[in-house]
Amino acid sequence: MKLNSKIPEGPLENKWRNYQVQSHLINPTNKKKLSVIVVGSGLSGAGAASTLAELGYDVKCFCYQDSARRAHSVAAQGGINAAKNYQHDGDSIYRMFYDTLKGGDFRSREANTYRLAELSAPLIDHFVQQGVPFAREYGGTLDNRSFGGVQVQRTFYARGQTGQQLMLAAYSQLYKMVRAKKVEMFPRSEMLDLVVIDGKAKGIIVRNLVTGELQRYAADAVVLATGGYSRVFRLSTLAIGCNGSAVWKAHKKGAFFGAPSFTQIHPTALPQSSEAQSKLTLMSESLRNDGRIWVPKEIGDTRLPNKIPEEERDYYLERRYPSYGNLAPRDIASRAAKERIDAGYGIGKLKNAVYLDFKHAIEKFGLKTIKDRYGNLFNMYQKITGIDAYKEPMQISPAAHFSMGGLWVDYELMTTIPGLYAVGECNFSDHGANRLGANSLLQASVDGYFILPNTINNYLATESKADHPSIDHPEFGKAEQEISEHITRILAINGTKTVDHFHRELGRVMWQECAMSRNKAGLEKAIREIKQIREAFWKEVKVTGKHNEMNPELEKALRLADFIELGILMCTDALEREESCGAHFREEFQSAEGEALRRDEKFAYVSAWEYDKGDFKLHKEALEFEFVNPSVRSYK
Amino acid sequence: MKVIFKIWRQEGPNEKGTIRDYEVDGLNEDMSFLEALDHLNELLVLKNEKVIAFEYDCREGICGQCGVFINGRAHGPHDNITTCQLHMRSFKDGDTIVVEPWRAASFPVIKDLIVDRSALDRIIEQGAFITAKTGTAPEANSILIPKETADRAMDAAACIGCGACVATCKNSSAALFTAAKINHFNSLPQGKAEEHKRVAEMMFQMEIEGFGSCTFTGACEVECPESISITNIAEMNARYVKSKLLK
Ligand SMILES: Cc1cc2nc3c(=O)[nH]c(=O)nc-3n(C[C@H](O)[C@H](O)[C@H](O)COP(=O)(O)OP(=O)(O)OC[C@H]3O[C@@H](n4cnc5c(N)ncnc54)[C@H](O)[C@@H]3O)c2cc1C
Ligand code: FES
């Protein structure tokens, strides 16, 4: 199968318009007869579901939480980027496009990245209209701040709760359409399989998490908006329920997986403090606007941080990257922290952290300003650690955070299965090998609100003439049967180890070999070990309770079974890519100064993996740079 | 660290529930309260018992999915935090910790510590939105909003929808939840066009869901993880009166 990215003709700035002019329209009467399933109610899912419903389609929307409002978009703190140039600091669509492409180390498509920047300004208009209480200046205009990896102020924010406010706006609009009876909402429902009929996506199998019942839903198109899969590392900044099951099942049914190993490790999370830890809390990157990162110059310095004089502190980001300093992009900041920690300079109980210090900012701007800017983050820090960060530096550490990888999609956000779309974090599209801070709320939102509702017509226009699928089709029966057997098999193992035991094992291997720094031998070992974990899981796991009841342990087991398989693919992808780019750092490919060595001559492509009976086959989408010249990424 | 959990177990909405005792060893102070329950659940699995069903997702105090009564208080012994942010350092070795689900007629128990809070979604459905279609927005800075107004709207909009206000209220009133949402929208220029309708319809829904009325005891603002002030309720009531007068 040849990958067709369907990039429209014309100069960058006309591509999206050209696309819209040429795409099919469907008349309102026909739209009413067409139905769309949206799996996920985060920014991308809720945005897509409500907008598709406004356009007249009949929409069913699913999420695993008890309410659509709780999708993990709610946890984003820092902000959302847009090229409004309100600060008059020289920002533009082109600059934002270039920053994003460069931030991703030239491993994403020009056309997609440009469209992301182009739609950013109207998105802010949209959210303001929906009542998002963004931060404002005294004069009443919108305020901005800056985020890592860029030199302009283009980030819009609502205190430290930007994701929550955007999410609640999206949820409001979703419920507006629930009230209009155009969206039917199914909370506490987990998609366990995709149903493909004659090569096209026509429905899903869902487990009702209250009753355990397996249910069938059919539609003319299926949209996955299921978020990131970084819980494959177990410890991450994601919610406990975040999973890779929906995309994994779609992958097994034929959707190619794009750049699965590209994972962002965030530099400023709270360090792990015990084995029992279930998640790592993120401290917003915006803190790096005013906080300075350092470790002691001497290994094993046991003095309290405030007792260490200035000249004995190593502000290593400022030292290594003088022009960006503490605002270096995430991949670079995380790797630099890992370098210091591995070299023995780590601080804290487990020597696994670095300091983030506000002393100078408080001296310069006053306590009140810092409280205004970050009050709720400092409160959160105190609640979790018991430490007052106005008085002593925070301790922070890198944590798995964001999946740049995801289902491969073309310019229309359609996967390689006709009629199956992927939006938001679960697709691979705009961020390349590293995502810039505050760009993914943006991507999830424009995917859902602006792009998909324009592109899905193109497909549905042809489907409107076809028969509408029925849940009585044998493919539904087959898929349901397979899931039912899968569940029975897990419950029957009755071994001696818990699901969490295996998840910890998987997380350990993935974190060691497939996170901030990777190498051939390590990845080969990881693949072997994960296969052993898979074998052990299927022999020794123990899950109590029944299939036909609310059973949180079974939910965890089903998610983990998919994570294990996904972990193998991630390591396979990381092994295949013999270069360093963005967050993907292969130790064999680095410069003399320890910076990433990209190899455009061989690896300027998006890897797109096809599932092949338990094995994976690589396809390559060549990345052609028509408008910019991929430079060596430098933040020095 | 060792504690004795006394936990509400209930198989389903129509079964009878009961408190059961679990002595749990091997905990430490840095564990969160929910991680202690995770640990207990692992022990239960190994003893071939069903796990305790309890809610969580983000585990960082923002999604609002977690929430139980701990020793008689919503979200545990501290003011203004969620259950997931509570750590075992708040307890002493040997403590007895009683854990129960939210109690409110409008929040029926589904299983063990999990309740059905969909009534809150239905209140939202009745008008917590601005009726404007995607693609119709004017330039964002074309409507100026003074910082104070935006900040006040944000104070109210911060609600995470956990339901602690309802659970802790002796009347099981959802007034704080509803007021926060109404005041968020109604204080912004974008929410003006539908302000009266919004108040009337959301408050009506609150009634038919069976939530009690507010008698201003102030219990809710003590537990609210976002410290949403009870003055919001007075403001909502004023808006309600105004919406009636203008009818
Ligand atoms: C702690 C944190 C902070 C962040 N901060 C920022 C920031 O400041 N700026 C920024 O731009 N980005 C930030 N991000 C990233 C950004 O929040 C996410 O990439 C984005 O919100 C993802 O939105 P989404 O719609 O794709 O997925 P989500 O919001 O994660 O939604 C996923 C949805 O899918 C549903 N779902 C998942 N699996 C299934 C299944 N099998 N069956 C049924 N339903 C399912 C869930 O119930 C949920 O409704 C942050 C991320 C984290 C974790
Ligand atoms: S789990 Fe999200 S608020 Fe507690």
Side-chain angles (χ1 to χ4, degrees):
Chain A
M1 176 180 174
K2 177 133 175 36
L3 290 169
N4 179 3
S5 52
K6 297 193 207 149
I7 296 177
E9 291 297 311
L12 261 184
E13 55 281 9
N14 292 349
K15 283 184 190 293
W16 179 233
R17 198 164 348 121
N18 289 350
Y19 174 87
Q20 286 172 287
V21 170
Q22 282 163 21
S23 68
H24 293 285
L25 295 177
I26 304 176
N27 81 47
T29 349
N30 281 344
K31 274 191 192 146
K32 275 193 219 144
K33 296 182 203 140
L34 288 161
S35 60
V36 182
I37 282 173
V38 179
V39 186
S41 65
L43 272 176
S44 61
S50 60
T51 307
L52 291 172
E54 284 170 8
L55 292 172
Y57 296 113
D58 196 16
V59 179
K60 289 190 172 62
C61 182
F62 300 80
C63 74
Y64 68 76
Q65 292 93 344
D66 76 322
S67 164
R69 67 181 291 151
R70 309 202 200 282
H72 200 52
S73 290
V74 84
Q77 303 166 349
I80 178 165
N81 287 335
K84 280 281 197 189
N85 195 27
Y86 281 164
Q87 304 305 321
H88 209 63
D89 53 3
D91 202 6
S92 64
I93 293 174
Y94 187 85
R95 187 181 291 274
M96 181 166 171
F97 149 73
Y98 187 78
D99 284 344
T100 304
L101 200 68
K102 173 184 169 200
D105 221 351
F106 304 94
R107 288 294 172 264
S108 58
R109 281 181 210 136
E110 284 177 326
N112 282 57
T113 309
Y114 191 88
R115 179 175 61 184
L116 180 74
E118 183 181 353
L119 296 178
S120 65
L123 186 73
I124 297 302
D125 302 339
H126 170 77
F127 276 128
V128 166
Q129 183 188 42
Q130 290 188 358
V132 171
F134 283 118
R136 295 199 174 245
E137 304 278 5
Y138 283 100
T141 52
L142 289 154
D143 190 19
N144 293 112
R145 60 184 173 203
S146 52
F147 243 58
V150 301
Q151 289 174 318
V152 292
Q153 294 197 332
R154 67 163 73 103
T155 306
F156 294 77
Y157 65 102
R159 289 201 190 131
Q161 287 159 260
T162 316
Q164 183 205 24
Q165 290 310 310
L166 302 184
M167 182 62 236
L168 292 182
Y171 158 74
S172 286
Q173 295 296 309
L174 183 66
Y175 267 79
K176 178 188 83 182
M177 297 317 291
V178 168
R179 186 183 190 189
K181 308 237 177 308
K182 288 301 295 175
V183 174
E184 199 179 347
M185 185 67 217
F186 298 86
R188 296 198 197 273
S189 300
E190 185 148 339
M191 165 179 164
L192 294 183
D193 210 355
L194 175 76
V195 179
V196 179
I197 299 177
D198 301 330
K200 293 176 177 170
K202 291 291 177 190
I204 58 173
I205 305 291
V206 162
R207 183 165 179 272
N208 176 322
L209 300 181
V210 176
T211 61
E213 187 196 346
L214 294 181
Q215 298 167 334
R216 308 173 182 188
Y217 296 95
D220 297 295
V222 177
V223 179
L224 300 186
T226 53
Y229 51 80
S230 289
R231 275 279 289 168
V232 66
F233 293 91
R234 179 168 168 88
L235 286 179
S236 78
T237 61
L238 274 81
I240 307 297
C242 289
N243 64 87
S245 292
V247 287
W248 190 249
K249 289 297 168 49
H251 175 59
K252 288 176 102 170
K253 286 272 163 95
F256 289 8
F257 213 117
S261 74
F262 286 179
T263 299
Q264 180 163 82
I265 310 296
H266 198 291
T268 60
L270 299 185
Q272 180 178 8
S273 63
S274 80
E275 247 308 276
Q277 195 139 340
S278 55
K279 87 156 275 165
L280 298 171
T281 301
L282 182 79
M283 298 310 289
S284 167
E285 171 167 83
S286 60
L287 291 168
R288 287 201 276 143
N289 275 319
D290 289 306
R292 295 178 69 197
I293 293 179
W294 63 278
V295 291
K297 278 189 179 159
E298 199 175 314
I299 292 185
D301 191 332
T302 53
R303 287 175 291 175
L304 291 172
N306 287 337
K307 292 270 164 358
I308 300 180
E310 279 301 316
E311 57 289 359
E312 291 175 47
R313 299 173 171 198
D314 178 13
Y315 293 93
Y316 58 86
L317 284 176
E318 297 169 24
R319 169 169 60 79
R320 286 181 66 179
Y321 306 99
S323 67
Y324 281 71
N326 293 296
L327 287 176
R330 292 180 178 173
D331 53 336
I332 290 182
S334 290
R335 215 147 48 227
K338 178 178 160 57
E339 189 275 328
R340 285 291 83 187
I341 293 169
D342 288 352
Y345 295 90
I347 53 99
K349 219 164 41 180
L350 302 178
K351 302 265 169 266
N352 59 352
V354 299
Y355 290 124
L356 176 62
D357 202 336
F358 290 87
K359 191 177 78 173
H360 299 98
I362 292 173
E363 280 163 14
K364 187 163 162 204
F365 303 111
L367 191 63
K368 173 154 187 325
T369 306
I370 299 302
K371 273 197 174 154
D372 260 10
R373 286 185 191 160
Y374 311 108
N376 65 327
L377 295 171
F378 278 60
N379 286 346
M380 178 159 99
Y381 186 77
Q382 178 144 30
K383 279 178 197 169
I384 296 172
T385 63
I387 296 172
D388 179 357
Y390 294 111
K391 298 206 173 109
E392 61 178 280
M394 292 183 179
Q395 300 185 6
I396 52 156
S397 191
H401 178 61
F402 180 85
S403 318
M404 277 81 72
L407 291 183
W408 184 91
V409 289
D410 59 24
Y411 190 74
E412 297 184 311
L413 305 181
M414 185 147 92
T415 68
T416 53
I417 300 177
L420 179 71
Y421 292 79
V423 293
E425 191 173 339
C426 76
N427 70 18
F428 172 84
S429 61
D430 304 349
H431 308 294
N434 172 57
R435 164 179 75 91
L436 288 185
N439 257 359
S440 75
L441 290 175
L442 170 67
Q443 181 235 332
S445 306
V446 296
D447 278 8
Y449 282 112
F450 295 160
I451 303 175
L452 180 86
N454 273 296
T455 60
I456 203 169
N457 303 332
N458 237 3
Y459 172 78
L460 288 174
T462 53
E463 286 314 284
S464 60
K465 292 168 204 105
D467 286 343
H468 300 298
S470 146
I471 56 166
D472 299 325
H473 191 283
E475 286 299 333
F476 273 96
K478 209 170 123 214
E480 186 185 320
Q481 179 69 19
E482 278 169 18
I483 286 296
S484 167
E485 284 165 9
H486 182 67
I487 292 174
T488 312
R489 214 176 126 208
I490 288 190
L491 289 172
I493 299 168
N494 199 19
T496 54
K497 299 202 168 95
T498 61
V499 177
D500 283 339
H501 163 83
F502 290 106
H503 203 169
R504 281 189 287 267
E505 289 287 293
L506 175 67
R508 185 183 49 76
V509 175
M510 290 297 294
W511 184 247
Q512 252 163 32
E513 306 299 348
C514 200
M516 273 171 290
S517 139
R518 305 157 169 190
N519 65 63
K520 183 163 189 284
L523 288 164
E524 284 170 350
K525 183 166 116 276
I527 294 173
R528 281 194 307 275
E529 286 182 359
I530 300 173
K531 287 184 175 165
Q532 286 160 5
I533 293 171
R534 180 174 62 187
E535 211 167 297
F537 173 87
W538 284 102
K539 271 201 204 120
E540 297 170 39
V541 79
K542 184 176 181 77
V543 178
T544 52
K546 295 184 300 226
H547 69 93
N548 56 353
E549 62 176 352
M550 178 177 257
N551 188 344
E553 201 62 15
L554 176 61
E555 291 165 29
K556 281 204 269 188
L558 291 169
R559 290 171 192 155
L560 182 62
D562 295 332
F563 274 141
I564 294 174
E565 296 183 3
L566 173 58
I568 299 175
L569 177 61
M570 289 172 72
C571 293
T572 307
D573 183 55
L575 182 62
E576 191 274 336
R577 189 170 282 275
E578 296 188 319
E579 65 161 349
S580 294
C581 59
H584 171 71
F585 190 77
R586 279 286 297 263
E587 289 159 16
E588 303 92 321
F589 305 96
Q590 52 180 308
S591 68
E593 302 91 59
E595 303 298 335
L597 206 66
R598 213 176 63 216
R599 296 172 69 200
D600 288 346
E601 45 334 318
K602 284 193 80 173
F603 293 96
Y605 59 77
V606 177
S607 56
W609 295 89
E610 179 181 5
Y611 188 80
D612 185 16
K613 301 183 211 73
D615 215 342
F616 310 105
K617 206 169 130 205
L618 177 66
H619 299 255
K620 299 175 182 176
E621 180 202 342
L623 289 168
E624 277 144 30
F625 295 94
E626 241 186 290
F627 304 94
V628 301
N629 193 10
S631 58
V632 174
R633 187 165 163 253
S634 167
Y635 293 89
K636 290 218 178 264
Chain B
M1 179 176 188
K2 185 162 132 184
V3 299
I4 297 158
F5 280 117
K6 289 179 170 294
I7 298 180
W8 182 261
R9 300 301 305 260
Q10 181 173 342
E11 269 288 302
N14 304 317
E15 324 281 317
K16 234 175 94 87
T18 164
I19 294 268
R20 286 189 47 194
D21 293 8
Y22 302 92
E23 199 175 291
V24 189
D25 206 348
L27 305 174
N28 71 60
E29 306 210 312
D30 284 334
M31 277 176 150
S32 72
F33 175 81
L34 295 184
E35 283 162 1
L37 291 185
D38 288 342
H39 179 71
L40 167 56
N41 269 348
E42 284 200 71
L43 299 175
L44 290 179
V45 169
L46 296 175
K47 287 205 295 197
N48 209 19
E49 287 181 39
K50 282 187 191 178
V51 296
I52 299 155
F54 61 99
E55 299 248 50
Y56 51 79
D57 201 32
C58 73
R59 294 209 179 179
E60 57 178 273
I62 192 73
C63 75
Q65 179 130 349
C66 67
V68 287
F69 258 90
I70 302 166
N71 290 340
R73 277 191 71 178
H75 289 311
H78 304 295
D79 294 354
N80 307 120
I81 70 169
T82 56
T83 302
C84 61
Q85 290 179 306
L86 176 66
H87 283 71
M88 292 310 285
R89 71 177 84 91
S90 298
F91 302 96
K92 290 191 307 297
D93 195 36
D95 270 1
T96 297
I97 306 174
V98 183
V99 192
E100 297 163 280
W102 281 169
R103 297 277 184 213
S106 311
F107 289 171
V109 172
I110 297 176
K111 185 169 191 168
D112 298 338
L113 302 171
I114 296 186
V115 300
D116 178 355
R117 287 168 291 191
S118 54
L120 300 182
D121 287 330
R122 290 189 292 273
I123 294 177
I124 297 295
E125 189 182 326
Q126 292 311 314
F129 46 74
I130 284 156
T131 307
K133 284 188 182 165
T134 300
T136 60
E139 211 300 316
N141 264 347
S142 63
I143 301 172
L144 298 181
I145 303 178
K147 183 175 184 323
E148 298 76 8
T149 309
D151 284 350
R152 233 179 325 113
M154 179 64 213
D155 288 342
C159 167
I160 62 172
C162 63
C165 49
V166 176
T168 197
C169 174
K170 66 181 169 68
N171 310 320
S172 299
S173 162
L176 191 64
F177 169 85
T178 311
K181 202 72 237 171
I182 289 174
N183 295 340
H184 158 209
F185 281 118
N186 283 15
S187 56
L188 291 172
Q190 286 82 4
K192 274 277 173 279
E194 298 165 284
E195 63 176 330
H196 302 311
K197 187 164 176 276
R198 178 176 301 118
V199 179
E201 295 191 352
M202 287 176 69
M203 287 184 74
F204 180 67
Q205 188 66 26
M206 184 173 86
E207 300 272 319
I208 54 178
E209 292 291 347
F211 291 106
S213 34
C214 169
T215 50
F216 283 96
T217 66
C220 50
E221 70 173 3
V222 178
E223 301 300 7
C224 173
E226 294 294 326
S227 307
I228 292 174
S229 160
I230 192 177
T231 56
N232 274 289
I233 300 177
E235 188 178 329
M236 170 177 75
N237 289 343
R239 290 184 190 284
Y240 183 74
V241 173
K242 199 166 145 206
S243 80
K244 290 281 160 211
L245 290 176
L246 290 177
K247 223 161 159 187

